Amino acid sequence: MSGFESITSRSVALPIANIDTDQIIPARYLTTTTRAGLGQHAFQDWRWLADGSPNPNFALNRAENAGAQILIAGDNFGCGSSREHAPWALLDAGIRAVISTAIADIFRNNALKNGLLAIVVSPTEHASLLEGAGEAITIDLHTQQIRRAGHAPIAFAINAFARQCLLDGVDELGYLLARTDAITRFEGART
Amino acid sequence: MTATTLFEKLWQAHLVEADAEGLPAVIYIDLHLVHEVTSPQAFSVLRERGLRVRQPKRTLATLDHSTPTTPARADGSRDYLDAATEAQVNALIRNCADFGITLHGYDSPDRGIVHVMAPELGATQPGMTIVCGDSHTSTHGAFGALAFGIGSTEVGHVLATQCLLQHKPKTMAVNVWGRLPAGVSAKDLTLHIAGQVGVSGGTGHVIEFRGDAIRALTMEERMTLCNMSIEMGARAGLIAPDGTTIEWLRGRRHVPQGDAFEAAAQRWLAFRTDESAVFDRSIDIDATAVKPTVTWGTDPGKVVAIDAALPAQDGGNTRAFDYMKLQPQAPIAGARVDVVFVGSCTNSRINDLRDAADILRGRRIAGHVRMLVVPGSERIKRDAEAEGLDRIFRAAGAEWRQPGCSMCLGMNGDIAKPGELVVSTSNRNFEGRQGKGVRTVLASPATAAASAVAGVVADPRACQQEIAA
Ligand code: SF4
């Protein structure tokens, strides 16, 4: 995932607090041994009715939201399990950014490692974005701003290293492997 | 020298490379625990890149999440939920063989839920850094180890380099004063604290549990508490090692033996917060005020004392009330129960099984209730059977199963039916966690057993008093 610059997309509101990883993808779909194809199960129990048909009341199922890449979620998004299947499922379902007033630590970490932006904004900014849900917004990783026509840009913080990894396509495993000598010295000093 | 917290000491002791302007720290990992669900994609990355596991000796694997809790058939086959589940288990067996990792599989007398098994073996030790592709890795913090959950990408990082890139979290002290009243368990305390801190109150922080109430807890009870620090949003939970920790570890397979153990114990006891160290945040909890506590909503922070009424409905909890089909301002006690589950890495240890058995001895569970008792490990299963606990459970009408995660997350097919109410000793009451549409009430083993007998959510103290009388 290199060269991540900005996303411009319609936003979708999912203003529910504490959306946990079991909602993002239930445990029964974690039996896969690959990363692919989890998108159909993103928000499984909210998205599909018992007979397998789409729940017309669920925001992501509405025709006007087809192709939307930005999710505006309620407070404390992604709490619960460490399953990386959660960001894998969201990305596979076409979501590339989640905006909330708080995002759980492990989820945010997993998301950034996969190129899914996890952005925290203030409650006031969040309320304003929710109000404008359905409009096109731009998330610019370079300037660290959320832009929306007719509104002042919203600045967001993102961990500098994660940002650099996303912009330049830094491979974190490669970064760690490049420290092999330091790791060997550390091991040697302890035993 | 400045006064430092336990967390700071653990962090400093594992810095391969300190964090610098814009760059994360490189942290060394002493113990990496692996299970079948979050590891296959990580092993694939190793294969794709031609890498080996850097420290197979610091890596320990088990089968727990998707394993059936019914016994194997005579021909060795098992009741897997489906082919994918079986393939996932077989993938870990193959990956461990290919990469030289010790696996406590079906043939091991030590197999168990990952967070139950590692402490039992003494693999979990004070002063360590411990990670696993599982959020309840926080359990191991009970020993004064910095232990936290990671995603599959990071599982790959640790397999290949024994290190992780980390940004330093903040610290939070949860000071618990006084003694827990009789009939109130560590799980009740844990749920009470989760209610006070809230499900995101610990986000970005490592919590250290402190105070005389914590010192009085056994290791099993400390594990129950640290297990659920992730439910408070915390990166990890910690309890400083003390005499209780040392005695619990003495003689276990992976700890040093003889004089070497005494030397290790001295090193371990140095992992404690200095007198005047400062935490970024701190809160105080009065242990004497804790009652048997259960959850009523769809996150672990929505708790209520067993003898209290639910809150009034407001904007923030309408969804939870709708899902749980409970009445605002009505008492939680008396809600009809369909299923009772005693198990999970929170409460499947021998003391938990004894707590449940004490209530079930000489009683029967209500006719409409189905009850599953799932020990956390093969060792606990053997110990419980040696004490005759399995016979108590069976005589009461409960099912006694093989070790595993089971109904905690239902990956193996141990689930309830839509709409059913489960009183569960596990750690998460999220919508659908125990089956689509299933309503979960988290509780202690004693409350779970008392509720099974009553057929409704029930206060265990009534049963306990009867026993005492
Ligand atoms: S018992 Fe539950 S919480 Fe614990 S490791 Fe298994 S699935 Fe996770």
Side-chain angles (χ1 to χ4, degrees), chain B residues 6-309:
Chain B
L6 166 58
F7 162 73
E8 186 70 36
K9 291 187 169 80
L10 290 163
W11 178 266
Q12 288 298 337
H14 293 86
L15 276 182
V16 172
E17 203 172 278
D19 51 329
E21 195 63 37
L23 293 177
V26 178
I27 293 286
Y28 195 76
I29 302 303
D30 293 318
L31 176 65
H32 184 194
L33 302 168
V34 175
H35 63 79
E36 71 273 26
V37 180
T38 53
S39 63
Q41 295 85 354
F43 284 109
S44 299
V45 170
L46 257 58
R47 285 205 169 83
E48 281 159 23
R49 297 176 68 145
L51 297 166
R52 60 184 184 88
V53 173
R54 182 177 176 88
Q55 291 282 2
K57 293 253 165 333
R58 293 190 178 277
T59 314
L60 197 58
T62 190
L63 302 172
D64 54 2
H65 280 67
S66 43
T67 53
T69 52
T70 45
R73 283 181 284 267
D75 64 357
S77 64
R78 290 172 194 270
D79 268 324
Y80 284 103
L81 177 62
D82 53 27
T85 314
E86 182 165 11
Q88 194 173 53
V89 166
N90 289 333
L92 183 60
I93 295 172
R94 197 175 51 249
N95 284 328
C96 288
D98 289 357
F99 288 93
I101 294 168
T102 301
L103 167 69
H104 290 292
Y106 291 121
D107 52 355
S108 167
D110 300 312
R111 191 182 69 83
I113 303 174
V114 62
H115 311 307
V116 175
M117 171 206 72
E120 272 179 350
L121 289 171
T124 298
Q125 295 168 15
M128 280 186 162
T129 44
I130 302 177
V131 297
C132 174
D134 192 283
S135 58
H136 292 98
T137 309
S138 59
T139 311
H140 309 265
F143 291 80
L146 179 60
F148 52 90
I150 56 177
S152 297
T153 298
E154 291 184 319
V155 169
H157 293 179
V158 180
L159 287 174
T161 69
Q162 207 57 35
C163 286
L164 274 180
L165 295 170
Q166 286 288 298
H167 296 279
K168 199 172 184 177
K170 295 197 175 77
T171 56
M172 175 171 173
V174 173
N175 305 304
V176 190
W177 308 113
R179 280 301 183 98
L180 286 174
V184 176
S185 74
K187 181 63 165 294
D188 299 311
L189 173 65
T190 304
L191 292 171
H192 178 86
I193 296 175
Q196 300 283 308
V197 175
V199 284
S200 60
T203 303
H205 292 73
V206 167
I207 293 179
E208 183 180 340
F209 297 100
R210 298 157 57 78
D212 52 344
I214 302 298
R215 299 263 71 91
L217 298 177
T218 65
M219 286 318 296
E220 287 81 2
E221 293 172 325
R222 294 178 190 187
M223 284 189 259
T224 297
L225 175 56
C226 287
N227 175 272
M228 286 191 70
S229 43
I230 182 70
E231 303 329 319
M232 307 165 201
R235 196 78 185 92
L238 285 173
I239 294 174
D242 59 9
T244 304
T245 322
I246 304 299
E247 290 320 309
W248 199 89
L249 286 170
R250 187 185 295 279
R252 290 185 191 262
R253 191 183 311 158
H254 287 247
V255 301
Q257 308 294 326
D259 288 348
F261 181 80
E262 306 309 327
Q266 286 313 309
R267 280 198 311 278
W268 291 341
L269 291 171
F271 283 96
R272 56 200 294 276
T273 294
D274 297 326
E275 206 70 59
S276 53
V278 182
F279 290 84
D280 294 308
R281 278 176 65 199
S282 97
I283 66 162
D284 290 280
I285 303 274
D286 176 7
T288 64
V290 180
K291 294 180 172 175
T293 300
V294 298
T295 63
W296 65 267
T298 51
D299 69 64
K302 290 192 172 60
V303 302
V304 63
I306 193 85
D307 55 3

Side-chain angles (χ1 to χ4, degrees), chain A residues 1 14-23 26-36 38 44-52 58 75-85 88 102-110 113-114 159-165 170-188 190-191, chain B residues 12-17 22-24 26 28 30 36-38 40-42 44-46 49 51 54-55 58 66 81-82 84-85 87-88 91 127 132-135 148-154 156-158 160-167 199-200 202-205 230-231 233-235 298-299 302 316 319 409-411 428 430-433 435-437:
Chain A
M1 75 312 324
L14 208 55
I16 299 168
N18 305 319
I19 296 178
D20 57 73
T21 45
D22 281 76
Q23 305 322 308
R28 58 189 185 277
Y29 303 109
L30 307 185
T31 53
T32 171
T33 52
T34 68
R35 298 168 187 237
L38 292 169
Q44 172 77 25
D45 291 347
W46 291 348
R47 213 160 121 216
W48 309 107
L49 296 173
D51 64 2
F58 187 63
D75 188 54
N76 193 33
F77 185 84
C79 57
S81 142
S82 66
R83 60 189 71 159
E84 204 161 312
H85 310 67
W88 294 337
I103 294 183
D105 290 333
I106 306 182
F107 176 84
R108 193 187 47 199
N109 200 22
N110 283 339
K113 285 196 167 23
N114 288 276
N159 168 284
F161 184 68
R163 176 173 171 273
Q164 192 206 333
C165 288
V170 175
D171 158 33
E172 292 196 10
L173 179 52
Y175 180 95
L176 274 169
L177 287 166
R179 271 139 191 85
T180 299
D181 289 350
I183 298 168
T184 306
R185 272 197 305 279
F186 182 89
E187 287 173 337
R190 296 177 92 214
T191 43
Chain B
Q12 288 298 337
H14 293 86
L15 276 182
V16 172
E17 203 172 278
L23 293 177
V26 178
Y28 195 76
D30 293 318
E36 71 273 26
V37 180
T38 53
Q41 295 85 354
S44 299
V45 170
L46 257 58
R49 297 176 68 145
L51 297 166
R54 182 177 176 88
Q55 291 282 2
R58 293 190 178 277
S66 43
L81 177 62
D82 53 27
T85 314
Q88 194 173 53
C132 174
D134 192 283
S135 58
F148 52 90
I150 56 177
S152 297
T153 298
E154 291 184 319
H157 293 179
V158 180
T161 69
Q162 207 57 35
C163 286
L164 274 180
L165 295 170
Q166 286 288 298
H167 296 279
V199 284
S200 60
T203 303
H205 292 73
I230 182 70
E231 303 329 319
R235 196 78 185 92
T298 51
D299 69 64
K302 290 192 172 60
R319 207 187 152 86
L409 90 167
M411 258 194 89
R428 286 189 177 139
F430 298 153
E431 289 181 28
R433 171 93 174 171
K436 187 169 177 171

Side-chain angles (χ1 to χ4, degrees), chain B residues 321-359:
Chain B
F321 273 117
D322 284 355
Y323 184 85
M324 291 300 292
K325 300 189 184 70
L326 293 171
Q327 278 304 312
Q329 294 174 292
I332 184 80
R336 186 184 157 97
V337 172
D338 302 294
V339 179
V340 170
F341 171 62
V342 174
S344 89
C345 56
T346 317
N347 285 119
S348 64
R349 299 182 181 84
I350 192 74
N351 59 307
D352 299 314
L353 303 185
R354 286 182 193 138
D355 281 358
D358 281 346
I359 292 205

